[in-house]
Amino acid sequence: METIGVRTARRLALARAGLLKPEWTGLPRRASGRGRRARSAAQRVIQRFGYLQLDTVSIAGARSHAIVLMSRLEGFDPTLAEELLQPGEPLFEYWGHEASWLPIELYPVFEFRRKAFRHHPWWGDVVGEHPDVARRLRRRIEEEGPLRAMDMEGEGSRGWWELKVAKKVATALWSSGELAIRERRNFQRTYDLAERVIPDAWRDRGVPVPDALEELLLYALRGHGWAATGTLTQTWRLRNWPKEIPAALERLEQRGAIMACALVSDGGKRSRGWIRPEDLELGARLESVRPRRDRGVLLSPFDPVLWDRARVKKLFSFEQICEIFKPAEKRKYGYYCLPVLAGDQLVARFDLKADRKAGRLHVLTAHYENDEEGSKAGQRDREAARSALNRYTEAVNLGLAGERF
């Protein structure tokens, strides 16, 4: 079995994530304006991972999917991130890692999930339980055209688990593939018939489950560099495939598409995983690289590099915590903390709150991994964090309130 060290795996993860120089990532690092070039750059980032996870929280001045693109594409307009899903663009919305925008070529690959979701994973057979609502919804969309979620009939609700029936039914019909998301406006979904959204070339064919699993696992590995089996399966929330996943990995290995590779910690402990041959070679070249530490960049808490907390701990020695659902008094770092990447290290995290009316971005809390403020390393981390904040505030068009950090 091949082996890889933690530092090499960490740098490889950042290279594959598009967070190092273009010569190592193969992706652009700038995307100014709102034209075709900026859209193309964003689509290339999505293509690398295979998904762009969506999230509603905008307290930091931009939503997660915008922050993911901003962190990779200097000069990227975060408002463009809200408009990437448009008729004619090579993306579709579906359940990827979570609700995500995905490259259109993956539509046939998810046929197995659309079949599985004929009974909604949360609500069961909600369409069968409310056939009249489903029938009216289908007819209304067919006759009147695309329908926004906010325009559906029914009384309002107090929370996610008390959604009006029509919205539940629409979500179920979308999950099963009968409907599709045409676009989002102000982050509101617009539903339409799948045949009016998904091109026939992608909609009229499906991929057999064994081939689909292979393609998704390879996509995940391409985005991560080195990864354990659990990381690969959780990238796509591939549950209840205890025999099929190992078999797919074995077939990929037999074809030479991937290699078994153990991550070796500084203490000598080995963690089994996988790597592509070309990434093993790239990792060897990255061993001698010295990424710049004087400039930092803020990462979304839902960044593809960060959601696997055990992996983050192994590669970065960083405790990644999401505390959105914790009571305020139990939070360690803050409600919506954005880690700071400097070079190949996660050096700090900021809990941010945007005040659009005042045009200010507030740093509610600032935590540094190296708390020796007077040390050379500590000073360097603070300089990197300040550069990250300056770049971020410019991108979201806000001024920085105070200098407490």
Side-chain angles (χ1 to χ4, degrees), residues 17-71:
L19 288 165
L20 295 182
K21 292 182 179 180
E23 54 262 40
W24 303 114
T25 67
L27 293 174
R29 287 293 274 159
R30 290 195 60 85
S32 301
R34 296 172 49 81
R36 173 50 55 187
R37 183 172 296 182
R39 284 182 174 272
S40 177
Q43 289 161 2
R44 286 181 64 185
V45 172
I46 299 172
Q47 184 75 35
R48 172 62 58 87
F49 295 111
Y51 71 93
L52 180 64
Q53 181 180 341
L54 304 174
D55 189 71
T56 61
V57 179
S58 59
I59 190 171
R63 294 187 176 92
S64 175
H65 43 286
I67 299 172
V68 168
L69 296 173
M70 290 157 54
S71 64

Side-chain angles (χ1 to χ4, degrees), residues 313-384:
K313 189 70 173 177
K314 284 181 180 179
L315 297 189
F316 294 91
S317 299
F318 184 86
E319 183 184 29
Q320 171 60 11
I321 299 177
C322 183
E323 300 182 286
I324 290 177
F325 301 108
K326 285 185 180 179
E329 65 275 11
K330 293 185 178 181
R331 293 175 192 145
K332 183 176 181 179
Y333 299 112
Y335 175 78
Y336 198 81
C337 273
L338 279 67
V340 178
L341 176 69
D344 65 349
Q345 299 289 335
L346 295 169
V347 301
R349 68 191 91 202
F350 293 131
D351 186 24
L352 303 179
K353 184 175 182 179
D355 183 347
R356 284 290 174 188
K357 288 185 178 180
R360 291 288 182 265
L361 183 70
H362 296 269
V363 181
L364 302 181
T365 62
H367 293 269
Y368 297 89
E369 295 301 291
N370 184 343
D371 57 5
E372 298 178 12
E373 188 172 353
S375 69
K376 186 176 181 180
Q379 184 61 31
R380 181 182 59 192
D381 290 350
R382 280 163 172 75
E383 290 174 359

Side-chain angles (χ1 to χ4, degrees), residues 116-138:
F117 283 4
R118 286 173 180 168
H119 283 195
H120 195 274
W122 299 337
W123 303 317
D125 188 16
V126 66
V127 175
E129 293 169 2
H130 301 279
D132 292 339
V133 174
R135 185 165 52 253
R136 288 197 303 269
L137 190 60
R138 291 188 192 101

Side-chain angles (χ1 to χ4, degrees), residues 21-182:
K21 292 182 179 180
E23 54 262 40
W24 303 114
T25 67
L27 293 174
R29 287 293 274 159
R30 290 195 60 85
S32 301
R34 296 172 49 81
R36 173 50 55 187
R37 183 172 296 182
R39 284 182 174 272
S40 177
Q43 289 161 2
R44 286 181 64 185
V45 172
I46 299 172
Q47 184 75 35
R48 172 62 58 87
F49 295 111
Y51 71 93
L52 180 64
Q53 181 180 341
L54 304 174
D55 189 71
T56 61
V57 179
S58 59
I59 190 171
R63 294 187 176 92
S64 175
H65 43 286
I67 299 172
V68 168
L69 296 173
M70 290 157 54
S71 64
R72 287 150 175 85
L73 302 170
E74 191 166 359
F76 186 80
D77 185 342
T79 64
L80 179 59
E82 304 295 335
E83 304 168 7
L84 290 175
L85 186 68
Q86 297 284 340
E89 296 293 339
L91 299 172
F92 73 104
E93 183 170 331
Y94 196 60
W95 299 111
H97 179 68
E98 298 293 346
S100 305
W101 289 339
L102 304 102
I104 191 64
E105 59 264 29
L106 286 181
Y107 190 85
V109 174
F110 279 100
E111 182 184 44
F112 73 93
R113 181 159 288 171
R114 292 191 292 276
K115 287 181 177 179
F117 283 4
R118 286 173 180 168
H119 283 195
H120 195 274
W122 299 337
W123 303 317
D125 188 16
V126 66
V127 175
E129 293 169 2
H130 301 279
D132 292 339
V133 174
R135 185 165 52 253
R136 288 197 303 269
L137 190 60
R138 291 188 192 101
R139 185 171 63 248
R140 184 175 176 186
I141 293 175
E142 183 176 359
E143 295 176 355
E144 300 177 18
L147 183 66
R148 293 183 302 171
M150 65 183 297
D151 293 332
M152 291 178 185
E153 60 186 352
E155 297 180 358
S157 64
R158 296 190 299 273
W160 181 250
W161 294 107
E162 297 179 7
L163 290 174
K164 49 192 174 184
V165 172
K167 193 171 182 180
K168 282 187 179 181
V169 170
T171 302
L173 292 173
W174 163 64
S175 299
S176 67
E178 189 169 341
L179 298 181
I181 309 301
R182 185 176 185 83

